[in-house]
């Protein structure tokens, strides 16, 4: 079946001419290819993304919290109330 454009039937010569025009490179095609290749090369040459900083900070905070929790508590100093009780009731109340 031969394609029709409007009321006119296209011949094989018309189709050959149409396909030849579609295959011919124009300045617009060259410009589009240049823009695409420039963007593609820029993306490939871009420095890699840096890793986020929060995972090491979170790990350091967890280690610090673990050290603080597992550390033995220091000996508590005698308070003034303890001294009063000891003086009133004697040793070993």
């Amino acid at each position: 079946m031969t394609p029709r454009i409007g009321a006119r039937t296209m011949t094989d010569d018309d189709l050959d001419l149409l396909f030849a025009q579609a295959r011919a490179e124009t300045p617009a095609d060259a410009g589009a290819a240049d823009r695409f290749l420039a963007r593609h090369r820029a993306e490939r040459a871009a420095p890699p993304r840096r890793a986020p900083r929060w995972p090491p900070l979170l790990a350091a905070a967890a280690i610090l919290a673990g050290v603080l929790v597992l550390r033995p508590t220091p000996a508590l100093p005698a308070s003034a109330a303890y001294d009063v009780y000891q003086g009133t009731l004697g040793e070993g109340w």
Side-chain angles (χ1 to χ4, degrees):
M1 177 172 188
T2 307
R4 295 178 58 105
I5 296 179
R8 182 175 156 235
T9 303
M10 293 188 72
T11 63
D12 287 339
D13 293 334
D14 292 336
L15 285 175
D16 289 341
L17 178 64
L18 183 64
F19 289 137
Q21 289 173 350
R23 284 191 304 261
E25 185 177 320
T26 65
D29 296 331
D34 289 340
R35 287 189 302 274
F36 172 79
L37 289 175
R39 186 175 61 240
H40 179 70
R41 288 181 185 128
E43 287 173 359
R44 291 187 71 204
R49 288 183 48 192
R50 291 184 3 186
R53 293 184 182 178
W54 61 268
L57 292 175
L58 187 61
I63 291 171
L64 181 62
V67 167
L68 291 176
V69 167
L70 296 177
R71 182 182 66 165
T73 57
L76 298 175
S79 66
Y82 179 76
D83 290 337
V84 170
Y85 285 131
Q86 188 175 7
T88 305
L89 300 176
E91 192 78 30
W93 52 272

